[in-house]
Amino acid sequence: MSYDPDNIFAKILRNEIPSTRVYEDDATVAFMDIMPRADGHLLVIPKTPCRNVLDASPEQLSAVMQTVQKMGHAVLKAFDADGVTIQQFNEAAGGQEVFHLHFHVLPRHEGDRLRPPGNMGDREQIEEHATKIRAALG
Ligand code: AMP
């Protein structure tokens, strides 16, 4: 399986389509999921191309996981959450829909269920959640 440079997250990285970014460093970007399954649901991606965990380099995995951890702490604080769910899918059979490596970071509250997938979030609400996450990052 080869990397498609026209996948939607590659376009986000090139600013060809809009995204709500909450964090960025030399190697990674974190932005809000447009179909949030929980308030504060965000995605962490490497800036360099790879499809998923199966073809990622150790450097890509290391950089992405460090940002995942940072964003986990940020959403815990921003949403006063009790826990964080981290999800990641590999290839279509593994549940992957966008073929640029990404990790989902979802703040969780005791007893709450994730919302069903595939429902567009409210843009204004997602912006508000992004503002909270940026503030939590200090
Ligand atoms: P998956 O590949 O199964 O991890 O799913 C891809 C995820 O990307 C889903 O949670 C989508 O809601 C999300 N997504 C798809 N397009 C965009 C976009 N343009 N901006 C932000 N998130 C997106």
Side-chain angles (χ1 to χ4, degrees):
M1 293 285 190
S2 60
Y3 181 80
D4 171 12
D6 284 328
N7 75 76
I8 204 150
F9 294 169
K11 290 181 179 176
I12 283 177
L13 282 169
R14 294 194 296 266
N15 288 314
E16 290 170 8
I17 61 166
S19 65
T20 305
R21 295 187 188 211
V22 288
Y23 176 79
E24 178 166 1
D25 60 25
D26 287 349
T28 66
V29 176
F31 58 95
M32 304 305 289
D33 197 299
I34 45 165
M35 296 184 236
R37 300 194 58 198
D39 290 354
H41 180 177
L42 61 85
L43 302 170
V44 177
I45 65 173
K47 285 186 172 175
T48 49
C50 62
R51 283 174 70 85
N52 52 44
V53 160
L54 301 172
D55 66 336
S57 68
E59 292 76 20
Q60 287 172 317
L61 292 176
S62 167
V64 167
M65 287 315 296
Q66 286 177 58
T67 301
V68 165
Q69 185 184 43
K70 184 186 280 277
M71 300 315 299
H73 286 297
V75 297
L76 261 186
K77 187 173 165 192
F79 296 91
D80 197 20
D82 303 309
V84 181
T85 296
I86 292 165
Q87 287 183 320
Q88 193 278 324
F89 306 105
N90 299 280
E91 300 301 333
Q96 186 175 11
E97 290 178 355
V98 179
F99 298 95
H100 180 108
L101 174 63
H102 56 279
F103 282 77
H104 299 254
V105 177
L106 301 120
R108 303 297 300 276
H109 293 91
E110 212 63 66
D112 277 4
R113 291 182 155 220
L114 290 181
R115 296 192 284 265
N119 296 310
M120 285 298 281
D122 177 82
R123 258 184 85 162
E124 267 179 38
Q125 217 174 42
I126 289 174
E127 285 295 339
E128 279 169 29
H129 296 155
T131 301
K132 282 190 181 189
I133 295 167
R134 291 188 201 106
L137 283 165

